Amino acid sequence: MSSEVEYDCIVIGAGVQGSFTAYQLAKRNKKTLLLEQFVLPHTRGSSHGQTRIIRKAYEQDFYTHMMDESYQLWSQLEKEAGVKLYRQTGLLVMGPENSESYLLYKNTMERNNVPMVILSPDKFSQHIPNVVLAEGDGALVDINAGVLYADRALKTAQGQFQKLGGVIRDKEKVTDITPGPVVTVTTSAGVYRAKSLVITTGPWAKKVLANIGLQLPLEVVKINVCYWKEKVPGTYDVNKRFPCFLLTEGVESNSHIYGLPSNEYPGLVKICYHIGGPTDPDQRDKQTSRFDIDILKRYIARCFPGLIPDPAVVESCMYTMTPDSHFVLDCHPAHSNIVFGAGFSGHGFKFGPIIGKLLCELSLGEVPSYDLSPFRIRRFQENTKSAL
Ligand SMILES: Cc1cc2nc3c(=O)[nH]c(=O)nc-3n(C[C@H](O)[C@H](O)[C@H](O)COP(=O)(O)OP(=O)(O)OC[C@H]3O[C@@H](n4cnc5c(N)ncnc54)[C@H](O)[C@@H]3O)c2cc1C
Ligand SMILES: O=C(O)[C@@H]1CCCC=N1
């Protein structure tokens, strides 16, 4: 089946980044088609699940700056759609007080006037009685951080896109892309044409981009999404104002761990390890490594006395990592009307609205609202083999 319609833009991949890009394009009155390989909603990529952390606490200024506008766009979407997508909980940042990583968080927040509280060990045990602060660790709270309702956010962005006249076609896997002034996209069910193309295929980005001559150093890992049972229900509950938390980089057994208060599954707290085992996105369930769960068990036994240190629920999700953990946002070097957002390295959800705006700007040939140099593919050039 061949389609007669020529779109202004086709977006491939209806995860958080593709859905927000499509929504931004439709807001700009661009005739837009959003293609998704699976029936929506699905749980096979990176954007599913009930919750994600939103925060301004970062090691780098550029993320903290982008989050200013991202918070505004989240709030705008809540108002437009009449739904609640964000709940303020605060984010507790813990790490060795004099370590490079902890100080980077603290200094970035201070420099950018991010509202925060520093907790001395005494204050810590007073305010967060059910967590043990490791010896020598500092603790601070990013006050406006919180939880985003992820599944609801995705549904809302897609719904608003459709209300603006956007077209979503799910269960249509893109099998071929022919670049040109008008790009031709072939799927399992049809052929479509557009003036520009945005590729936001998450864990499948490496494969899809290879088809248009780009070899990017992206690695897909499977994350075990673990939920831990409270010994006394309510101890770490969102309604009791328990915050999200993250451990900054440090020694293995006490870093790369993050968590969210008990919320989506009453009595269960989501605590995960930020490093996973490599996987092919089409073979995710064959990756059965549990090294992360052993690390988490030891940490929880040591620092969360109110939790049973054995996961009650384990779900699956995937990260697409870049070597420096920074995103990839760029145009194809030989075809400026093909743009892509990839490699969100396990921290891209909170930026959804701003990534959507940036990819929309790139696809329209506009100067992007932020300096994209940390995200351009030329940073990989020494290690990147391009067929171009
Ligand atoms: C366990 C976990 C916890 C996280 N926690 C946080 C957090 O607290 N805060 C935060 O900000 N971020 C967090 N993240 C990261 C965030 O969720 C991701 O960065 C984000 O979801 C990536 O979105 P995406 O749109 O790039 O990818 P995806 O959501 O995977 O979307 C890509 C889509 O493209 C589709 N697709 C692929 N190939 C094709 C094709 N050929 N044809 C058609 N469609 C195709 C896929 O099916 C998929 O739907 C977390 C991620 C995980 C896994
Ligand atoms: O992006 C986030 O905030 C979370 C927590 C830290 C590790 C990754 N995702």
Side-chain angles (χ1 to χ4, degrees):
M1 185 184 74
S2 176
S3 157
E4 297 303 310
V5 187
E6 183 179 309
Y7 290 93
D8 290 316
C9 189
I10 295 173
V11 179
I12 310 177
V16 66
Q17 314 304 6
S19 300
F20 271 98
T21 304
Y23 166 54
Q24 287 291 337
L25 283 157
K27 275 190 129 175
R28 304 275 305 266
N29 293 318
K30 302 297 165 193
K31 194 187 184 91
T32 305
L33 171 65
L34 176 58
L35 293 169
E36 168 55 48
Q37 63 180 342
F38 299 128
V39 173
L40 290 169
H42 72 84
T43 58
R44 306 299 307 170
S46 300
S47 300
H48 59 279
Q50 309 275 348
T51 50
R52 293 290 188 276
I53 297 172
I54 180 168
R55 57 184 161 110
K56 278 193 187 172
Y58 259 93
E59 292 184 352
Q60 297 84 3
D61 286 327
F62 54 83
Y63 287 123
T64 302
H65 292 165
M66 286 162 74
M67 280 312 299
D68 265 337
E69 191 178 352
S70 200
Y71 268 98
Q72 288 168 29
L73 295 178
W74 279 111
S75 158
Q76 206 172 302
L77 178 61
E78 283 185 315
K79 288 193 190 100
E80 261 173 48
V83 291
K84 190 169 162 58
L85 302 175
Y86 153 76
R87 174 157 183 174
Q88 185 181 354
T89 63
L91 170 87
L92 177 61
V93 178
M94 295 176 279
E97 198 164 11
N98 298 314
S99 65
E100 188 186 348
S101 178
Y102 180 77
L103 289 172
L104 280 171
Y105 275 96
K106 188 167 167 237
N107 295 341
T108 304
M109 292 171 74
E110 278 172 352
R111 214 171 26 250
N112 292 289
N113 301 315
V114 177
M116 71 156 155
V117 173
I118 294 178
L119 295 175
S120 63
D122 279 356
K123 283 250 164 69
F124 187 93
S125 34
Q126 201 182 317
H127 289 285
I128 325 259
N130 298 302
V131 179
V132 175
L133 183 65
E135 184 72 30
D137 267 14
L140 58 84
V141 178
D142 171 352
I143 292 171
N144 292 323
V147 172
L148 288 169
Y149 298 122
D151 281 344
R152 195 187 293 169
L154 212 59
K155 187 170 161 220
T156 303
Q158 290 165 2
Q160 293 301 105
F161 167 63
Q162 286 173 308
K163 273 192 196 153
L164 291 165
V167 178
I168 301 181
R169 287 189 183 272
D170 61 358
K171 209 181 172 190
E172 283 207 35
K173 179 175 175 158
V174 171
T175 52
D176 191 50
I177 297 167
T178 309
V182 172
V183 187
T184 303
V185 174
T186 305
T187 72
S188 43
V191 178
Y192 306 95
R193 292 180 181 81
K195 295 186 186 77
S196 67
L197 176 69
V198 180
I199 299 171
T200 46
T201 45
W204 289 265
K206 193 180 172 97
K207 294 185 184 187
V208 174
L209 292 169
N211 287 331
I212 49 168
L214 295 173
Q215 310 292 338
L216 296 187
L218 301 174
E219 188 190 29
V220 180
V221 297
K222 176 179 165 182
I223 300 294
N224 291 313
V225 183
C226 300
Y227 288 86
W228 309 79
K229 192 169 187 288
E230 293 171 319
K231 291 176 183 165
V232 177
T235 310
Y236 302 98
D237 201 279
V238 72
N239 292 322
K240 298 243 177 92
R241 304 175 67 84
F242 189 74
C244 297
F245 72 91
L246 69 78
L247 305 186
T248 63
E249 272 182 42
V251 286
E252 190 212 53
S253 57
N254 225 16
S255 66
H256 304 295
I257 292 170
Y258 62 97
L260 293 83
S262 170
N263 173 56
E264 54 266 40
Y265 304 140
L268 301 187
V269 182
K270 178 166 154 180
I271 302 181
C272 306
Y273 197 53
H274 189 51
I275 299 171
T279 187
D280 176 326
D282 294 309
Q283 307 283 329
R284 185 194 73 184
D285 300 323
K286 290 202 175 134
Q287 170 53 275
T288 54
S289 168
R290 289 171 73 92
F291 75 96
D292 51 339
I293 298 182
D294 293 335
I295 293 171
L296 289 167
K297 279 181 171 182
R298 287 196 290 275
Y299 172 71
I300 285 165
R302 218 171 40 242
C303 297
F304 276 69
L307 293 178
I308 296 169
D310 202 32
V313 172
V314 180
E315 297 174 342
S316 301
C317 195
M318 287 180 286
Y319 286 176
T320 309
M321 303 300 299
T322 60
D324 56 12
S325 292
H326 299 320
F327 310 153
V328 172
L329 301 170
D330 214 336
C331 302
H332 191 292
H335 309 288
S336 60
N337 61 344
I338 300 183
V339 312
F340 42 89
F344 291 98
S345 303
H347 64 115
F349 203 98
K350 64 185 83 58
F351 295 93
I354 201 78
I355 299 295
K357 181 176 170 187
L358 285 163
L359 291 175
C360 168
E361 289 169 346
L362 284 179
S363 77
L364 297 175
E366 297 173 358
V367 177
S369 301
Y370 294 85
D371 171 20
L372 294 188
S373 46
F375 309 123
R376 298 278 188 186
I377 57 171
R378 60 174 165 256
R379 74 188 195 274
F380 304 132
Q381 227 140 28
E382 277 175 15
N383 306 318
T384 303
K385 281 188 230 114
S386 168
L388 296 165

